[in-house]
Structure formats: C-alpha cells, structure tokens
C-alpha cells in the first residue's frame, strides 16, 4: 500500500512534498508503509517530525480527510500540532486543521497530558515566547480564540486535574491584553461567569472593567467559587479589596447588590486569619482572636475558603496547635473525614509526617488520636456500624509510632465530640470485636490489615489478658462456684528447642527420663510420650526428636486452652496447693499452665476485657465469673460426652476405668483425696487418647486420724457422688435454724442454694431434711473448717480419705456400665431432691433395693467391682491399688487379649483423628460455597443425619454413597486359604498392565483403562459396572470444580454431570463404614430416595468429601468395595500409588 515515507526524514523540501503528492492518489495518503512494517498517515508523520508549515499544508490540501484520521495512539493531527515535540505549530496550521476537521476541538487527547481538550493543552503550555514561527504572545491568544470558537464549551469543562481553563491562564499569564479579554467575552460559554473568574483571580482593573463592559448583566449573577457559597461579583470585589473604580462600576451595573446579604459577612474573618500568609502564630495569646471567632461563628468551620479548603485543613497545613485544630474539628467534625487539597485524609498527613522541630511527636500523636476518634467505623455508644472515611484502617495498617499511639489512645479513652451532653471519657476498646472485624472499601478486615505494632495493641483489647482469644459462646462448663471458658492461647509460640536446652543440664544434647519429667509436666505432656521404656530404663531423647514430638502433639500454632474462673478463693487455693505441694504426673492429672500471672487474669475479669463482657451478658445472665483462675490445655472430650456419644461396651468401659483408677491411684499415692470424682471431671486428650483428672478444688490431704493438720471432705462437693457418711439428716426445727444461721453470712446465692437443706417428702408431707456435711473455711486456710456455729458435732465431719474417692468411683462405674445414674441427680451431679438424698442416707439398709440396682450390671466381674466400691461401711471399701492388681474385672480370663485390642483401638482412634483432620481441610471448601448453595445443603442436612444415626452398627459414620440399584451381597472369603486361592495376579510381559483372575471374574488394568469380565454369582455386577465408573468420574469432576475455585458454578456442574445417572423414580443411599470401606447392609439400609433429581445433587459434594477421607484410610480396595465390588486387597505398594 504505497512506498516507504523515507522522504519525510530530515526536514523535507516543498519540492519533495509536491513530487510525493503527485505520485500518489488521495486514498493512498490515508495510510502508507512507514518502512518498519507499520502503516502511517503521511500527515501524522509530518506533524510528528515537525515538518515545515508549507509541507504540512500541501499534505492537508491533497488529503483533507487525513485531519480526521487517528494514529496508533488514537490521536488526531490537531493533538500533535498542539502538544507534541515541545513546540506548537503556527496559527495557520491550527486553523487549517480545524477547517478540515472542526470536531477535533471537542475530542480529548488520549495521550498528551492525559485526557485534556486541545484548548486545555494550548493554555497549559509553558513559555509562550518559545513558540515556533511567528507564534508570539499575541499569536498564542489568536490560537486560543481559534480553539475557543471551534468548541466554546471547552472553557466550562474541567481539565484533567479538575481545574477550569481560565483559572490556569489568568494565574500564569498576567500579560493578557484587554483586547484579548474582549474577544473572549464575545464567545458564548454556557455555565461560565467570566466576570467572576477575573475578579476571583485578582486580574487588573482594566481587564475586570473590559469584561464588565462586554457583559454588564454579569454584575447581577452569582458566582460559584471553590467555597460552598454562591456570591455576587461585588462581594468578591469587596473581599479582595479591588479598586473603588471597579466596585463603583459593579454597583452601577447592578444597584441592588448593596441590599443582598454577603454570605461571607460572618465567616470571612476566620478564613482571612487562617489564610493570610502574613499571619504569624508564635505565642499562645496570638490564637485568642482565632479561637474567639471560631466560638462566635462555629458555622464558619464548615465553610470552604476561596481556595476550596476547609478551616481545619488550613490549620493543619499551617501546623496550628491542638487547641485550635480541636476547636475547628468540634465545630465541624465532617472536616476530619473529607480529603484535603492533596487528596489525603487529614489523618494521613500526621501518619506520614516525620518528626521535626515543627512537627514534634506529641503533636502528631494528639492530632492523630483526635482525628481517628472522630472517624471510627462503629458508634462509641453501642458499637453499631456507621459511615466512615477509612481513618481506622489507615491507622491500623500503619506501623508508625503516631498511628500505633493513636490506635491505643482511642481504644483506651476518647472524648465523644459528637455528644455535647457528655463529659465522660470512654474508650472504643469495649467494641474491639466489631472494630477488628470492620471492613474497608475492598472488604478487608481491620485485623487482617493490621501491622505488627497495631496488632499487638488490638490483642491487648481483643484478647483476654492480651493473650487468650475467648470462644464467644456458652461456657464449657458452669457450676455454682466456677465457670470454664475455652480459648486459644495466641501468646508467643513455645520455643521447644529452648525448653530442651534449659533442661539439658549436663550439655550432652540428650534428655533422660529424669530430665524429661520436669519439662514434660510444664508443657502438659506425659514423659512416656517421649520415652516408651520402663521407669528404670536408661533411654534418652535427642533435641530434634523432642521438638518433633512436641510439635506433633501440641502443634505449631495457637494452643487450645480452658480458663477456669472460680468464685471462691478457698477452692482456688485448694486446687493450687494440690498442684504445687504435690508431684502430680501429667499422665494422670491435667497440668496447670503458668503463662499469665493470676493477678493479671483477676484484673482482666474485673474489667470485662477480651470479650468477657459479651460472654457475661449473653451466656451468664449478667453474673460475673470469679477472679481466681486456673489455665489448662483444653481436652477434646469429657467422660460424660464419651459415655453418651460413643456408648462404650463393657470392654471399652474396662479400658476407661483402668485409666481412671490408675489416675486416682496416683493421687492416693501422693496422699491426696480428689473429693469430686465424676464424669465431668475426667477428660480425654486426642494427643494420646488417655483420660486425665481435672478440678482439684475439692481435694484434701489424707492425714491419719489424730494427725497434725487434719483435713476434712466436703468443703466443695457434688452430692450425688458422695457416700452415705457425707449426708446429714435434719429432723427438728432447731437443727434447721442452726444450719441456716451457720450459712447466713455466705454471699454467693448459688452456693447457698446448693447447700440448703433438701426436704424429704412422703405422701406430700415433709418427714425430714437432708444436707451435705459441708462447712465454711477459715480465711487464708482453705482446708480448715469454721467450727463456730457448726450445725453438727465436730466429730460428724468426715475426714479426708481414700474411701470417699472409692465410693465416687463406684458411682462412676455404675453409670458407665448401665447408662443410668445411681442416685437421681441434676446436671451438676447433685442429688435431684431430698428424696434422692434419703435413698443415699439409708444406702445398704435395704438389701433388696441394692440387689435390684446391681442386677442392672450384666457382667459379673463388673457387678462385683461396683458392689465392693459401694459398700456402706467406708472401712470395707478396698483400695484402688488392690482392685487394679487383683480384681477379676481387670484381670478376667474372659478378657484375654483385650489389652492388645485396646492398643489397636488406640492406634485406630489416632488414625481416625488424622482422617477427621483431612476431611476437615476438605470441608473448608464447602465454607466457600455461595449463600444459595449453603442453604441448599442445609435444607437436606437433616435427611442425611437421620440416616446416619439410624445405622447403629456403624461406629464412625462420615461417608455415604448414592446408587441407582440395591447392591447384591458381596463375596467375603472367610479363611486365609480361600483368600489365597481367589486371586492370581499376572503381569503382562511388556509391563503395560496386570490381570487379576478369579473363578468368577477377570479384571485387566492398563494405561488405557480397566476391563472387567464377571461370571457366575457376580454376573449381576456387570450391568452395574458402567454406572459405577460414571459415578466415580462424576464425583471426581465435582472435586475438580471445587479445587479450581468454581464454587458458585458447582451445583450447575453437579446437575449437568449426573443427569444421565439419575434414572427412575427411586435411588438408594448407603452408609459406608469408614473402618472397612464396606457399605452397610444392616436392617433399614439402604435408605430409598424417592425424589433423586432434587436430593442427589445437593448431597453429592458431601459424598465426594467423604470419599476423599475414605480413600486415605481404606485404599483402593476399600473404594472398590464402596461401589459394591468384592475385589480382593492389592499389594500395599499398589494401594499407595493409587492414592498418590
């Protein structure tokens, strides 16, 4: 398309241009080869290379339409002529381009100065005297007029930087002539009051009068300045002190101007004082006038000045003191939320400002705190969200001292400037959860944006004691005297390597059993987790092994803990003494952590910090918990949950009771009575699946009768697990009055209710009352009863002994073995009524009653164990050690091999724990589902759960499958010989696959796929095989969609991918035993689904996640059985490869 444009290089002559034009048609001049593989319009190149006017005019005359052609940058020739190469073309070139294409004047330059109109770029050029050709100052004015006449509205349209054209021109070009301004006035520009512009820019009197003469009516029109008011030209003249001649001319043109109120009359003084560059504020008294005006005319603080700035912004620019800026902010709080002239929020000025003599740190912090408190994302009154400009997120994401101090300041205390009636200082810290979750314009939370410095400040308020993230929900447990809260310990991560080094006293880089005991207990682990040998073995462990085990069991992230807050100081002291004055093994008793001093926790409770206020308000009925705290590693389940949710059989109960008895034996070996053994005080940890004791606040030293510092049982109790000797019968009113007088001084209402006498009624008549032989304790002596006024004889108090715990163990064993309570009790394990206490009081006096109860235990050794423990006479109760050593329940021939089974169970449980973690990670995908998808899953959840809990034969149901047909009974060889005969594996000679042959089936697996041929009884599988493969592929595809992040489209993909698999009017849901991978074929299974097209797509994601977990545990053979195939197990190496 034409020849190269090489002739245009090097300022070509007119003769070359004529010759070029002569040799080419006009249409060729619209685009030619530029010699570099591109197409260029010659006119564009000539302008770009700054060719002479004559050459450009020749090209334009030969091809006028080229003036409308755009180059690769979407620029017109006019754009290049105005703003290109640092110079501007002459008037005749501009005029010729406009004549050829007038519309060019209204098109913004996409390159140039970033979107300006040609007129804008012409006015905004620097140095008019540097223009080429004869383009002097007058010529530049003519160019401006040419462009203005071609598109007058350019003068009224804002430039790219937001300013109007004449604001730039009149400010830079002070030599504008009167004649030029008269010419300007001839152009009709809608929306622009030129008189106001020249007055506002303080132009010369000649120019003002010339503009007024051209448009006298302008004197009566209001002019909109950068401030918020529209004012008359006369008002501007008065404010800017124009000459009397100008003022008189304006008044003559519009006599009514004197009668119109000047909106600046009450506010202009504030702006003048702030804006006057001659004002110097060196001393405090210099601000008196400024403060007085602000107080007199507070509305002035909300008015913008002539330069568009608010008074607060001016004060900040001039670094005026807090006494001035705070007054301006109080008068107009919105000023702190509006951007300043440079586009920053006021708080950003102080956050980004470095400390100097003019900007001291104290000033920066004070101002930042003031501005931050005025622009918080929540209300200080009730924490509800409110409109804000982002100051909170700016500060929270900054690591400067100014921002960090401001964040801490507003959380601690802040004067609410929006509430004129309040003089109180209160902090935003009480709304820390709402502030931490507050989102910015991009949807990011404040806590997620927080810098390290700000995060530490937030944690001081967000976390209990600056360390524990409380679970905002119902407490883990609550009694009359204590509350147990779950939390995450977000303190500094434990340095297990440093812990090892501290314990390695001999420096041999190994720890033996003795060294391990001390540090293992301190971090809450059992030393046996590190060394599996006997107590006498000389085993040791290296540093790497120690660190690895710690991380595996305790994790490398936040530690789950529970915080027990106790009302009674004596109970807290008993628990602390039991732990500190005895060597308690962490294998048997949950260790207390010493991360935070107890007095700091007490202070945090008093101040309701770290979310405690929400828990107290929502879940504790406004009743504050106690100030005395014990912190422990959180367990996974207590024995009450284990009993009800896992329903252990006799062998499992044997395993449980052995661990509990061993733990109690450990306490008794330390001469310590627990005093409150019950299901809630026994917990299990997944790290080793062991049971441990907690809650030693009822404990007491076991001292021989008559010994020094004799102690008693009953200072704290759960009456339903106490033996008969702990119950007192009250028969007379005098005894009742004496008892009530003894407890009258007790302030704790819950405790008074717990100890109050319980009436025993017979046929509606109160026959007696029963109480526990409890007592108050001496101040500072948690084990010493207050004997004065004791409502029973001193000798009636029951001394602390092993027999108390033995009875409680009997109650525990009875409950586990029968699923029933020995005595009717409430959820706190106190007797439900006086009648229940009556039964306990007379225990053992009616043999037929005992016989009925004990016969509920079907296992004979177990029944004997419970009968021995629940003997009325404390002296006849055996020791824990003797029972563990000799009792048939723990050493019965019937349970031979049980220990091995229990060990396998332990390993199995650990595997299941790992499996649950895997499934949990996959379930996180579902959390990302759209709201609609989540709702759809929730609607069908009850259907799934109903089916799962009906399958009583399956112990750990987490997986299910939906099939088109009922599965036939799978072939299950019963002996090893049959198993060996059933499978013959033949590898192909070329290594391309394997064949597996049986009497009923041949399965061939290659890279191309799987082929199966089933015979005999298995023939009915053949028809279902294709569908099974389709189901497997469909589930895989769903998982792919989830993994790829196509969450919102997942359900559409599900319905599409399985539409050909949903056939007929009924399908079948099978539950899968996770331990074996076999579908459950018990009574009641499978569950028919009568409307599969609605139900199946919603259940399929859950089905897929369950299969992922199943595949990790059962391998490929388990997955095959899941689909109903009786395939034998394959070698482990194959299974591992298949999983990978």
């Amino acid at each position: 398309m034409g020849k190269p444009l090489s002739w245009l290089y090097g300022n070509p002559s007119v003769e070359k241009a004529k010759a070029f034009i002569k040799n080419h048609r006009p249409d060729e001049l619209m685009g030619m080869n530029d010699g570099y593989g591109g197409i260029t319009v010659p006119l564009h190149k000539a302008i770009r290379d700054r060719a002479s006017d004559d050459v450009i005019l020749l090209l334009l005359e030969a091809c006028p339409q080229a003036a409308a052609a755009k180059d690769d940058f979407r620029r017109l020739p006019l754009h290049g002529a105005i703003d290109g190469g640092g110079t501007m073309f002459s008037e005749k070139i501009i005029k010729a381009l406009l004549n050829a294409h007038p519309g060019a004047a209204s098109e913004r330059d996409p390159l140039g100065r970033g979107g300006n109109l040609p007129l804008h770029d012409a006015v905004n050029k620097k140095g008019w005297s540097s223009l080429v050709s004869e383009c002097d100052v007058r010529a530049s004015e003519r160019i401006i007029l040419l462009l203005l006449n071609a598109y007058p509205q350019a003068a009224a349209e804002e430039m790219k930087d937001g300013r109007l054209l004449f604001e730039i021109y009149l400010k830079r070009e002070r030599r504008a002539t009167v004649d030029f301004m008269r010419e300007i006035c001839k152009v009709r520009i809608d929306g622009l009051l030129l008189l106001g512009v020249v007055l506002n820019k303080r132009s010369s009197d000649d120019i003002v009068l010339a503009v007024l003469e051209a448009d006298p009516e302008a004197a009566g029109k209001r002019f909109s300045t950068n401030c918020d008011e529209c004012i008359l030209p006369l008002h501007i003249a008065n404010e800017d002190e124009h000459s009397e001649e100008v003022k008189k001319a304006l008044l003559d043109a519009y006599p009514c101007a004197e009668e119109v109120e000047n909106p600046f009359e009450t506010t202009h003084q504030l702006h003048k004082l702030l804006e006057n560059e001659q004002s110097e504020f060196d001393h405090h008294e210099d601000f008196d006038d400024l403060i007085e005006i602000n107080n007199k005319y507070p509305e002035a603080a909300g008015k913008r000045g002539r330069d568009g700035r608010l008074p607060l912004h001016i004060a900040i620019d001039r670094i005026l003191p807090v006494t001035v800026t705070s007054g301006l902010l109080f008068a107009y709080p919105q000023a702190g939320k509006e951007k300043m002239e440079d586009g920053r929020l006021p708080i950003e000025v102080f956050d980004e400002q470095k400390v100097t003599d003019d900007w001291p740190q104290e000033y920066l912090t004070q101002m930042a705190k003031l501005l931050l408190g005025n622009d918080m994302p929540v209300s200080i009154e009730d924490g509800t969200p409110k409109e804000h400009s982002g100051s909170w997120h700016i500060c929270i994401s900054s690591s400067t001292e100014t921002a960090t101090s401001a964040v801490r300041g507003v959380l601690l205390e802040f004067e609410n400037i929006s509430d004129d009636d309040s003089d109180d200082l209160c902090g935003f810290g009480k709304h820390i959860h709402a502030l931490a979750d507050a989102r910015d314009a991009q949807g990011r939370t404040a806590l997620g944006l927080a810098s390290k410095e700000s995060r530490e400040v937030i944690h001081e308020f967000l976390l209990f004691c600056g360390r524990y993230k409380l679970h905002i929900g119902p407490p883990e447990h609550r009694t009359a005297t204590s509350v147990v809260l779950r939390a995450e310990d977000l303190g500094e991560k434990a340095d297990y390597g440093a812990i090892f080094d501290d314990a390695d006293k001999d420096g041999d880089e190994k720890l033996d059993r003795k060294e391990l005991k001390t540090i293992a207990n301190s971090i809450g682990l059992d030393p046996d987790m590190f060394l599996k040998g006997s107590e006498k073995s000389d085993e040791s462990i290296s540093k790497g092994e120690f660190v690895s085990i710690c991380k595996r069991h305790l994790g490398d992230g936040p530690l789950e803990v529970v915080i027990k807050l106790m009302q009674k100081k004596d109970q807290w002291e008993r628990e602390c003494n039991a732990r500190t004055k005895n060597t308690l093994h962490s294998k048997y008793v949950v260790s207390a952590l010493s991360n935070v001093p107890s007095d700091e926790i007490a202070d945090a409770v008093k101040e309701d910090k770290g979310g405690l206020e929400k828990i107290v308000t929502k879940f504790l009925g406004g009743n504050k918990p106690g100030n005395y705290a014990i912190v422990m590693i959180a367990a996974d389940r207590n024995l009450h949950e284990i009993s009800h949710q896992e329903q252990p059989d006799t062998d499992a109960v044997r395993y449980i009771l052995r661990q509990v008895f061993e733990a109690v034996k450990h306490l008794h070996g330390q001469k310590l009575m627990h005093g409150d053994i019950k299901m809630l005080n026994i917990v299990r940890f997944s790290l080793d699946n062991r049971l441990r004791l907690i809650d030693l606040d009822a404990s007491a030293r076991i001292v021989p009768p008559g010994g020094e510092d004799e102690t008693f049982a009953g200072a704290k109790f759960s009456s339903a697990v106490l033996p008969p000797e702990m119950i007192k019968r009250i028969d007379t009113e005098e005894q009742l009055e004496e008892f009530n007088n003894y407890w009258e001084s007790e302030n704790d209402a819950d405790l008074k209710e717990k100890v109050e006498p319980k009436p025993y009624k017979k046929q509606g008549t109160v026959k007696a009352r029963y109480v526990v032989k409890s007592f108050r304790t001496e101040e500072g002596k948690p084990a010493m009863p207050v004997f004065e006024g004791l409502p029973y004889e001193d000798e009636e108090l029951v001394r602390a002994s092993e027999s108390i715990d033995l009875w409680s163990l009997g109650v525990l064993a009875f409950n586990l073995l029968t699923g029933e309570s020995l005595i009717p009790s409430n959820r706190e394990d106190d007797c439900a009524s006086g009648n229940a206490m009556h039964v306990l009081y007379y225990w053992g006096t009616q043999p037929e009653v005992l016989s009925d109860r004990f016969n509920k235990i079907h296992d004979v050794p177990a029944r004997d164990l419970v009968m021995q423990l629940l003997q009325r006479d404390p002296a006849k109760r055996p020791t824990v050690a003797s029972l563990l050593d000799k009792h048939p329940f723990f050493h019965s021939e019937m349970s031979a091999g049980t220990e091995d089974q229990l060990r396998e169970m332990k390993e199995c449980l650990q595997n299941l724990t790992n499996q649950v973690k895997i499934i949990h990670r996959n379930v996180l995908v579902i959390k990302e589902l759209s709201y609609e998808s989540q709702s759809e899953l929730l609607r069908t959840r009850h259907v799934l759960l109903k089916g799962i809990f009906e399958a009583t034969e399956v112990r750990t149901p987490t997986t299910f499958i939906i099939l088109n047909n009922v599965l036939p009974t799978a072939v299950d060889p019963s002996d090893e010989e049959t198993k060996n005969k059933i499978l013959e594996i033949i590898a192909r000679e070329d290594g391309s696959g394997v064949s597996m042959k049986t009497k009923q089936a041949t399965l061939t697996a290659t890279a191309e796929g799987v082929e199966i041929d089933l015979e005999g009884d298995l023939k009915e599988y053949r028809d279902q095989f294709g569908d099974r493969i389709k189901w497997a592929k469909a589930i895989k595809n769903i998982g792919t969609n989830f993994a790829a992040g196509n969450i919102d489209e997942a359900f559409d993909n599900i319905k599409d991918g399985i539409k050909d698999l949903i056939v007929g009017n009924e399908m079948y849901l099978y539950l899968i035993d996770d331990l074996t991978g076999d579908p459950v074929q018990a009574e009641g299974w499978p569950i028919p689904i009568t409307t599969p097209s609605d139900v199946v797509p919603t259940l399929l994601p859950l089905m897929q996640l369950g299969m992922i977990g199943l595949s990790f545990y059962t391998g490929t053979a388990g997955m095959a059985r899941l689909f109903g195939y009786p395939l034998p197990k394959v070698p482990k190496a194959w299974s591992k490869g298949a999983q990978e």
Side-chain angles (χ1 to χ4, degrees), residues 248-300:
K248 182 177 182 305
L250 291 169
L251 194 56
D252 289 343
Y254 186 60
C256 297
E258 277 189 324
E259 301 173 11
V260 177
E261 181 182 359
N262 185 351
F264 277 150
E265 200 164 56
T266 58
T267 61
H268 73 288
Q269 295 181 60
L270 178 63
H271 285 276
K272 276 193 170 182
L273 274 173
L274 290 167
E275 292 175 347
N276 189 351
E277 295 179 1
Q278 303 304 315
S279 298
E280 294 294 340
F281 302 109
D282 295 327
H283 304 287
H284 181 73
E285 53 269 20
D286 294 335
F287 300 108
D288 290 347
D289 290 342
L290 192 58
I291 296 171
E292 182 180 349
I293 292 172
N294 186 45
N295 292 336
K296 188 175 181 181
Y297 306 113
E299 66 275 11

Side-chain angles (χ1 to χ4, degrees), residues 131 299 359 1001 1069:
L131 301 182
E299 66 275 11
W359 299 80
L1069 186 149

Side-chain angles (χ1 to χ4, degrees), residues 316-361:
I316 291 173
D317 286 340
R318 301 206 64 187
I319 323 177
L320 299 188
V322 178
T323 52
V324 175
T325 51
S326 61
L328 295 171
L329 187 60
F330 271 59
Y332 185 59
Q334 187 61 29
K337 306 175 185 179
E338 296 186 18
K339 291 185 177 181
M340 299 179 62
E341 192 175 24
D342 59 4
R344 295 183 295 174
L345 284 172
I347 199 165
E348 291 180 276
V349 175
F350 296 96
D351 177 43
E352 296 169 6
Q353 177 61 50
K354 292 183 178 179
V355 176
T356 65
D357 291 341
D358 291 334
W359 299 80
Q361 184 62 62

Side-chain angles (χ1 to χ4, degrees), residues 12 44 67 70 163 174 232 261 265 310 323 373 385 595 597 691 706 773 784 799 806 849 859 979 981 1016-1017 1096:
H44 274 297
K70 294 183 179 181
R163 292 178 293 178
R174 299 307 178 101
L232 291 171
E261 181 182 359
E265 200 164 56
L310 288 165
T323 52
N595 297 334
L691 295 166
K773 294 177 184 177
M784 179 61 66
R799 287 163 176 77
L806 285 160
V849 174
D859 184 86
K979 289 180 182 179
K981 290 180 179 179
D1017 295 338
V1096 174

Side-chain angles (χ1 to χ4, degrees), residues 1111-1112 1114-1120 1130-1140:
S1111 69
F1112 275 94
T1114 64
T1116 51
M1119 293 298 292
V1130 297
K1132 289 184 178 179
W1134 293 13
S1135 178
K1136 182 179 179 182
Q1139 291 181 48
E1140 293 172 352

